[in-house]
Amino acid sequence: MLKILSARQIKSLEESYLEEKGILSLELMETAAEAFCQWYMQNFSRRQDIAIFCGTGNNGGDGIAIARLLSRQGYPVCVYTLGDAKDGTADYNSNLNILPTNIVNKPFSNIDWERFRCHVIIDAMLGIGLNKPLEGKYLDAVKKLNSQKTMRIAVDMPTGLPSDKLVDGEAFQAHYTVTFQTPKLSALFPEHAAYVGDLVVKDIGIDGKYFNGYESSRYFVEEKDILERHKIFHKASHKGDFGKVLLVGGSKGKLGAIMLSAKAALRTGSGLISTFVPGFGLPIMQSSIHEVMVETCTGNDILDSAPENLDRFDTIAIGPGMGTDEKTAEALKNILESYKGKMVIDADALNIIAKRKDLKELITSQMILTPHLKEFERMVGDDVKYPEGRIEKALEFSQTYGCVLILKGLHSLITTPAGIQYFNPTGSQFLATGGTGDVLTGVVASYLGQGYSVENAALCGVYHHGLAGQLAGEDQRRGTIASDVIEKIPETYKNLGLS
Ligand SMILES: NC(=O)C1=CN([C@@H]2O[C@H](COP(=O)(O)OP(=O)(O)OC[C@H]3O[C@@H](n4cnc5c(N)ncnc54)[C@H](OP(=O)(O)O)[C@@H]3O)[C@@H](O)[C@H]2O)[C@@H](O)CC1
Ligand SMILES: [K+]
């Protein structure tokens, strides 16, 4: 887990790290530049001309050091500076003084934009030191660079993005942001996706113990954290060991939702899946998914009653495609009141709960709620447009009702009633398509059925779902559909070296 700190905390952390280790900030800058270059060299060829735009703070210092290191490795580099060296930080100037003279180094204001050509733009203008919206030449630079049809990469933060809050005005639009040590909070806001691009976190050697003194309950999940939370099954495991899961949902025209959840749960590893759907769905379910068992409610078109003997199941997920009819709401109430096991509450179940205070009171610590932004807004009855406020609201909700909350979106946020908030690293823009939420419900329910704690099921579920989305997107690009994501779930295990 990487602890997420504010820009102010990062500066203080850096100072105490340097002091305790007895190293110079210039050395840390060199480490950061090396980390960037190592990533760059793995991903880009020497045939691509690089233009590095540098401010005069330490972000600019990183840029100048990157220019020297890449040039030494045979990469064609030009440097463009946005300020006067006399205003530069000490480390910026130290790097400028050792920039080889064969590297073109021009002021930004001297660029002839008619003739400007490069393949890759590296933004080292401003990083976590940004303290006001862009204006003047920085604004001009960002606008010019964003309009270039080239690869754009930001060092630490895209210029113009404040580290801890929503952007105000313009910012550099990166395809990749290579950030140091730990992600900055705002790089994880879905609203900033077009500025951050793909986020790459590079270790610069400040180990975890230095983070201990800084208060934060927000973390960025890493692959190793997920590996630790998985259960290991053995050859002799029986299908019953993988859990008996009941998935409740579906209504006329929306049966596909519960089918997607069921298939996803099977692909995640569930042994026995039952579904509970309106009567019309029985032949459809049975003919399309042979591995699931199907039970039906009293009514033919809508879900109007609860299943019998809920204790037969290790876990229940409810909501996909269910509709919000009053009879359905009563069936939901019945299930929430009588079932004591772990549950996933999604989609229309959330929409029903949003309107019923009495149902909100039935939320327990055994439950994982999985709203997307619109559903969450209905649940809290408030505007959650601003990410800083939304993250706070998620915490408040989870603590008030004692449940685990998965707020879906880019870098889905998992909040536990203990007050910990985890940002998920996996995912893809191609997950923004109908039915992927139903897939997540099936994945999370499957882990609950396999005996995972609510916290581990939420973390592993969101991680694998996001990774499956990435893998599906690599093959299918904008043509990715929810079923492709399901088919990629088994590959996520292979990816992590899990059986
Ligand atoms: N911390 C770490 O672990 C490590 C940090 N490292 C690197 O250092 C970076 C942070 O460096 P930093 O603190 O010097 O800040 P930086 O982003 O260069 O900007 C400061 C300058 O910008 C100016 N300025 C601000 N807003 C502005 C605006 N809107 N428009 C115009 N100007 C504006 C501000 O001017 P002022 O307000 O002071 O007049 C000041 O001159 C960090 O992102 C990372 O890349 C790595 O080297 C090693 C490990
Ligand atoms: K930058």
Side-chain angles (χ1 to χ4, degrees):
M1 295 278 167
L2 295 169
K3 204 182 219 184
I4 298 169
L5 302 181
S6 67
R8 187 175 298 167
Q9 285 174 317
I10 290 172
K11 294 218 161 157
S12 153
L13 167 94
E14 186 195 17
E15 276 166 25
S16 49
Y17 170 76
L18 294 174
E19 197 180 309
E20 203 178 311
K21 282 271 183 182
I23 57 175
L24 300 170
S25 56
L26 187 63
E27 294 174 72
L28 189 60
M29 186 176 277
E30 190 72 8
T31 307
E34 281 166 1
F36 177 94
C37 293
Q38 185 202 41
W39 171 84
Y40 186 89
M41 291 191 293
Q42 280 166 356
N43 291 284
F44 296 92
S45 89
R46 288 180 175 77
R47 286 196 295 277
Q48 291 167 304
D49 293 320
I50 308 166
I52 308 187
F53 290 81
C54 301
T56 53
N58 287 339
N59 194 247
D62 290 348
I64 305 274
I66 288 167
R68 167 170 43 79
L69 296 173
L70 286 179
S71 169
R72 190 188 288 162
Q73 295 294 329
Y75 284 81
V77 181
C78 290
V79 169
Y80 300 98
T81 50
L82 275 96
D84 232 314
K86 71 171 171 27
D87 304 320
T89 58
D91 293 344
Y92 169 84
N93 275 299
S94 302
N95 270 300
L96 195 60
N97 291 338
I98 56 166
L99 186 70
T101 49
N102 64 331
I103 298 178
V104 173
N105 174 8
K106 274 191 187 177
F108 167 80
S109 50
N110 288 1
I111 297 175
D112 173 0
W113 289 99
E114 292 290 311
R115 300 174 64 187
F116 177 80
R117 299 279 178 281
C118 72
H119 300 106
V120 180
I121 288 170
I122 295 180
D123 158 30
M125 295 180 281
L126 298 170
I128 62 168
L130 180 99
N131 52 27
K132 53 183 182 281
L134 297 182
E135 52 181 37
K137 64 179 171 231
Y138 281 89
L139 179 60
D140 190 24
V142 158
K143 283 186 179 166
K144 284 250 166 45
L145 299 180
N146 285 346
S147 70
Q148 302 294 312
K149 292 196 172 25
T150 53
M151 168 58 63
R152 290 186 295 272
I153 304 171
V155 178
D156 207 22
M157 279 301 274
T159 291
L161 271 203
S163 303
D164 312 311
K165 55 182 189 176
L166 200 62
V167 64
D168 183 3
E170 300 264 351
F172 184 77
Q173 292 169 3
H175 297 99
Y176 292 96
T177 294
V178 180
T179 200
F180 302 125
Q181 202 62 44
T182 186
K184 301 3 174 208
L185 181 66
S186 91
L188 305 171
F189 295 166
E191 288 82 353
H192 288 169
Y195 303 108
V196 175
D198 286 350
L199 183 66
V200 179
V201 186
K202 294 304 286 181
D203 184 9
I204 55 168
I206 307 178
D207 71 58
K209 75 171 188 190
Y210 293 96
F211 283 73
N212 289 344
Y214 295 90
E215 202 176 313
S216 168
S217 47
R218 296 172 181 158
Y219 294 86
F220 188 66
V221 173
E222 296 177 284
E223 182 186 294
K224 65 178 166 53
D225 308 313
I226 295 301
L227 281 171
E228 261 166 30
R229 287 164 189 263
H230 270 297
K231 284 180 71 172
I232 305 295
F233 293 103
H234 304 287
K235 274 188 190 157
S237 301
H238 178 259
K239 68 179 171 189
D241 298 342
F242 298 103
K244 295 191 198 77
V245 177
L246 176 68
L247 302 168
V248 182
S251 55
K252 274 241 162 122
K254 290 205 273 176
L255 195 67
I258 205 74
M259 286 191 199
L260 288 169
S261 303
K263 284 188 189 164
L266 287 163
R267 286 290 185 210
T268 307
S270 287
L272 294 164
I273 298 286
S274 299
T275 55
F276 187 77
V277 296
F280 81 93
L282 178 70
I284 307 169
M285 292 294 293
Q286 295 238 279
S287 56
S288 49
I289 319 178
H290 305 138
E291 296 85 352
V292 299
M293 288 169 282
V294 187
E295 297 179 20
T296 54
C297 62
T298 325
N300 190 58
D301 295 353
I302 58 161
L303 232 142
D304 61 354
S305 63
E308 313 258 291
N309 300 330
L310 293 175
D311 294 342
R312 289 174 290 156
F313 303 104
D314 295 311
T315 190
I316 297 178
I318 184 162
M322 192 170 75
T324 55
D325 191 275
E326 253 171 48
K327 286 187 184 148
T328 310
E330 282 315 302
L332 171 65
K333 184 176 181 195
N334 190 334
I335 295 173
L336 294 180
E337 277 172 343
S338 49
Y339 188 63
K340 300 288 169 248
K342 293 176 188 144
M343 291 188 78
V344 183
I345 316 281
D346 185 32
D348 282 334
L350 295 171
N351 292 329
I352 293 172
I353 292 174
K355 289 195 204 133
R356 298 259 311 245
K357 193 167 176 290
D358 60 326
L359 295 195
K360 269 194 192 148
E361 267 145 31
L362 297 173
I363 298 172
T364 71
S365 61
Q366 299 287 82
M367 293 178 190
I368 301 174
L369 275 62
T370 61
H372 54 55
L373 291 193
K374 209 73 227 146
E375 286 160 352
F376 187 55
E377 197 166 276
R378 289 182 201 123
M379 303 277 306
V380 296
D382 214 345
D383 188 355
V384 292
K385 227 173 26 238
Y386 292 100
E388 308 98 295
R390 185 164 68 224
I391 295 168
E392 290 295 335
K393 278 261 181 257
L395 181 66
E396 191 185 311
F397 188 92
S398 171
Q399 296 198 311
T400 305
Y401 296 102
C403 62
V404 169
L405 183 81
I406 298 175
L407 192 51
K408 294 184 288 201
L410 185 69
H411 298 300
S412 289
L413 175 64
I414 299 139
T415 306
T416 71
I420 311 288
Q421 297 191 288
Y422 301 102
F423 289 87
N424 180 57
T426 59
S428 143
Q429 73 265 39
F430 303 124
L431 275 171
T433 179
T436 53
D438 308 320
V439 174
L440 178 70
T441 296
V443 175
V444 175
S446 173
Y447 287 130
L448 287 180
Q450 293 175 48
Y452 287 52
S453 67
V454 278
E455 181 169 327
N456 288 353
L459 282 162
C460 293
V462 171
Y463 188 94
H464 282 268
H465 175 259
L467 186 54
Q470 271 170 236
L471 296 170
E474 278 168 20
D475 289 347
Q476 315 288 357
R477 309 291 167 112
R478 67 186 77 177
T480 305
I481 57 171
S483 299
D484 300 327
V485 179
I486 295 173
E487 293 315 313
K488 288 290 181 186
I489 297 169
E491 206 173 311
T492 64
Y493 292 123
K494 207 161 144 191
N495 229 276
L496 267 68
L498 291 163
S499 57

